[in-house]
Amino acid sequence: MATEQYTTDHAAHAEEHETMTKSKIWRVFFILLGITAVEFFIALYLLPKGILNHGIGNFSYIILTLVKAFYIVAYFMHLKFERVAFKTSIVVALIFIVYFIVLLLTEGSYLHIHMAN
């Protein structure tokens, strides 16, 4: 009975990872390549010509980089095929890390302002 459960779980897990075919890998590769091309277009054409504001350019870099990070983590690190609880634990940890970085930067600038006076 335990062997049947192991075989069923193992087969289901293997089936999830079999969905990552060569065609999907290439599709994700070309999506990442397209996003990178857009970033280069922004950096080498739109910003120097003054067509795009630097604030909007930086915001678009952040968004495009987060999209690229999602594709890398989801497909190449196989997080897309994991269970929801594991995904949630990773996302919560990431949120806390970003939150702590923002807090450290905020406190660092606050300390610099008050130490100068």
Side-chain angles (χ1 to χ4, degrees):
M1 182 139 199
T3 307
E4 287 179 14
Q5 181 64 31
Y6 172 77
T7 334
T8 307
D9 289 342
H10 184 67
H13 191 67
E15 181 180 305
E16 289 175 345
H17 287 277
E18 286 176 6
T19 59
M20 194 64 184
T21 61
K22 285 183 183 180
S23 64
K24 284 189 180 181
I25 291 172
W26 281 109
R27 186 178 71 205
V28 171
F29 170 76
F30 284 115
I31 289 171
L32 293 172
L33 183 65
I35 293 171
T36 304
V38 169
E39 288 177 337
F40 272 100
F41 180 70
I42 291 171
L44 299 176
Y45 183 74
L46 294 180
L47 289 178
K49 300 271 186 197
I51 297 172
L52 193 63
N53 185 356
H54 282 283
I56 295 171
N58 288 339
F59 182 73
S60 63
Y61 286 147
I62 292 170
I63 296 300
L64 291 171
T65 303
L66 289 174
V67 170
K68 283 186 351 183
F70 165 76
Y71 274 103
I72 291 168
V73 170
Y75 288 97
F76 293 128
M77 297 175 71
H78 303 284
L79 191 61
K80 185 177 187 313
F81 307 108
E82 294 294 336
R83 292 197 166 95
V84 175
F86 184 65
K87 290 180 193 177
T88 305
S89 66
I90 300 246
V91 169
V92 168
L94 179 67
I95 288 171
F96 276 118
I97 290 170
V98 170
Y99 175 69
F100 287 134
I101 289 172
V102 169
L103 281 178
L104 287 170
L105 291 173
T106 304
E107 287 296 319
S109 65
Y110 177 77
L111 182 63
H112 178 68
I113 290 170
H114 287 291
M115 292 300 281
N117 292 333

